[in-house]
Amino acid sequence: MLHVSMIGCGAIGVGVMEILKSDPEVAFDMVVVPEAHMERARSTVSTLAPTARVVSRLGDERPDLLIECAGHQAIAEHIIPALERGIPCMVVSIGALSEPGLVDKLEAAARAGKTQVQLLSGAIGAIDALAAAKVGGLESVVYTGRKPPQAWKDTPAETAFDLDALKEPTVIFEGSAREAARLYPKNANVAATLSLAGLGLDQTRVRLYADPGVSENVHYVEARGAFGGFELTMRGKPLAANPKTSALTVYSVVRALGNRAHALSI
């Protein structure tokens, strides 16, 4: 049995626990949340993972695996110290790695603890193909993301555009993956994931649309290089609990945990 501790009890974390609550090979031992959220988290966790404890810090515990489903701040606060102690970790909030030096800090912490941190693919596919293409030499990677206007609420787009009044697809950002992840951290994890698998945060180009004509999160990737080229279009349904997040992100976490826990992995 894989003993897992999870950072976060929001839409992603709850979705993961709901799917895995009947899996005999995965046990959630602890859920880490800020002290101010512990009472609410206990109410949720009690029905999804009755044996799990809700805590504000990992403490001296050593789970088989620590997974981040809480947002960018959790990486510095919880993941890096756990890696230094030799605890293997998974990270969902890839957009946080646009912060200069954070990738190096994660790698250094994992090396110091003689363990590994896995960056999950989340809402996008073809990461294995892109990473393989990088070996032979990539020339360009362009990511275009389209989401309904309401998915861009509480972002810089809300101050620059009247999102409720948009009648046609509108470009709200165009630039590098690093800048996209910095300005839209809750919406641009896909761009950061593609860049880390491919050309890097500064060479991966990103275009983001607020599109009243779509009800799903639409991801389009075009890559060219020595291998040839590929184009990928994905239409991801957003989580009902959080329209900024794709439901596929939850399934990505579940798959990664299943690959760790089960005898057959693919």
Side-chain angles (χ1 to χ4, degrees):
M1 178 178 289
L2 182 71
H3 290 269
V4 179
S5 289
M6 177 183 289
I7 306 168
C9 193
I12 295 174
V14 168
V16 170
M17 286 189 288
E18 283 180 335
I19 294 174
L20 291 175
K21 63 184 179 182
S22 299
D23 190 327
E25 301 299 325
V26 179
F28 290 96
D29 293 339
M30 286 187 293
V31 177
V32 182
V33 298
E35 288 189 9
H37 300 162
M38 289 180 68
E39 184 174 348
R40 184 174 61 183
R42 285 193 182 101
S43 176
T44 301
V45 172
S46 65
T47 61
L48 299 176
T51 62
R53 292 182 290 124
V54 177
V55 298
S56 61
R57 304 199 68 82
L58 194 62
D60 295 329
E61 301 285 347
R62 295 187 63 86
D64 296 333
L65 180 69
L66 178 64
I67 182 163
E68 173 273 316
C69 296
H72 297 186
Q73 185 177 349
I75 294 177
E77 185 176 353
H78 299 289
I79 294 295
I80 288 177
L83 289 169
E84 291 173 338
R85 293 175 51 208
I87 299 170
C89 297
M90 291 180 177
V91 170
V92 172
S93 301
I94 307 301
L97 304 186
S98 62
E99 178 184 323
L102 188 52
V103 172
D104 294 335
K105 290 178 182 177
L106 272 178
E107 187 173 4
R111 288 184 183 278
K114 296 181 173 58
T115 187
Q116 186 179 61
V117 55
Q118 181 180 355
L119 309 180
L120 300 187
S121 58
I124 194 66
I127 294 302
D128 53 346
L130 189 61
K134 180 181 178 180
V135 175
L138 276 170
E139 296 169 3
S140 66
V141 179
V142 181
Y143 164 68
T144 301
R146 294 176 182 268
K147 295 186 178 185
Q150 64 267 25
W152 302 107
K153 293 290 181 73
D154 301 320
T155 75
E158 190 171 27
T159 60
F161 303 91
D162 185 352
L163 295 174
D164 293 327
L166 292 182
K167 302 299 182 184
E168 59 185 25
T170 302
V171 177
I172 61 168
F173 172 85
E174 191 164 9
S176 71
R178 185 182 302 278
E179 190 68 1
R182 184 183 69 83
L183 292 173
Y184 298 91
K186 295 183 178 179
N187 286 278
N189 276 340
V190 167
T193 302
L194 289 166
S195 68
L196 291 170
L199 286 175
L201 289 158
D202 296 313
Q203 297 302 315
T204 303
R205 308 308 297 169
V206 174
R207 186 181 297 113
L208 302 177
Y209 282 87
D211 189 344
V214 301
S215 59
E216 302 165 318
N217 300 335
V218 183
H219 308 290
Y220 175 73
V221 183
E222 184 177 7
R224 295 286 181 266
F227 73 101
F230 74 75
E231 298 176 17
L232 170 73
T233 300
M234 297 186 66
R235 298 180 179 273
K237 293 185 180 298
L239 280 175
N242 183 359
K244 293 183 175 64
T245 300
S246 170
L248 191 61
T249 300
V250 171
Y251 307 148
S252 170
V253 177
V254 171
R255 175 183 178 272
L257 290 175
N259 280 345
R260 288 288 188 99
H262 301 151
L264 181 63
S265 173
I266 188 169

